[in-house]
Amino acid sequence: GGFKPPKNLLKTEEPNYEEPNYSVKPASENPVLREAADSGVKDAGPVFDDMQKKASFEHLVDFPCLFTVKVVGARQGEFMEDILDAVGEVVGKGRSEIENSFRDNGKWRSITMQVPVESSEQLYAVYDAIGRDPRV
């Protein structure tokens, strides 16, 4: 008794490892990866992420503009002043020249700034400067 599968269902075919039916271009043919390799970058992930971010800002934002940047960080020391100074340094403005507002939630403070940026590169520099603050 019991179920017996038909014979032809049991036949397994050995995969053919000799000739792959797909083609993968070597990384050396990709100019971006080649440049990354030449510059000593071990992991191409960040390179791609960076490219995608740059491309998206370039296409989605008309520069120059006032760009709304929101930062959330630990409410320690002169957090707000330090962030405004860091951003101001990148865009060539004094702390008081950057329009901003904030909200506190327990030990966190969220700061919203209207940052005058001239280019996507400058916008990245703003995010870099903010990211260097350990409280963010």
Side-chain angles (χ1 to χ4, degrees):
F3 171 75
K4 284 201 171 54
K7 288 268 187 287
N8 59 358
L9 281 186
L10 294 175
K11 195 178 82 187
T12 58
E13 224 171 275
E14 208 37 45
N16 179 355
Y17 293 111
E18 297 309 303
E19 313 162 46
N21 54 358
Y22 53 86
S23 71
V24 176
K25 285 199 166 124
S28 57
E29 280 184 34
N30 181 315
V32 174
L33 290 177
R34 197 167 53 231
E35 187 186 319
D38 293 347
S39 69
V41 173
K42 295 281 173 277
D43 176 10
V47 176
F48 278 128
D49 293 346
D50 201 45
M51 279 170 45
Q52 281 183 314
K53 275 197 311 212
K54 281 202 172 61
S56 61
F57 273 133
E58 268 152 27
H59 296 303
L60 298 176
V61 181
D62 286 329
F63 294 99
C65 68
L66 271 180
F67 195 86
T68 302
V69 176
K70 186 171 181 177
V71 182
V72 177
R75 200 153 53 102
Q76 298 162 347
E78 305 278 279
F79 176 58
M80 186 146 165
E81 292 80 357
D82 294 345
I83 291 294
L84 286 167
D85 285 344
V87 170
E89 208 170 289
V90 174
V91 299
K93 299 278 182 207
R95 181 194 298 178
S96 59
E97 295 175 272
I98 299 171
E99 194 184 317
N100 65 81
S101 60
F102 69 90
R103 285 183 56 189
D104 290 339
N105 185 352
K107 61 179 187 158
W108 303 101
R109 169 166 286 183
S110 94
I111 309 168
T112 303
M113 297 168 283
Q114 301 298 323
V115 184
V117 285
E118 300 292 322
S119 64
S120 57
E121 283 74 29
Q122 195 177 47
L123 184 51
Y124 287 107
V126 165
Y127 278 112
D128 279 345
I130 292 168
R132 282 196 289 274
D133 191 302
R135 292 162 292 189
V136 172

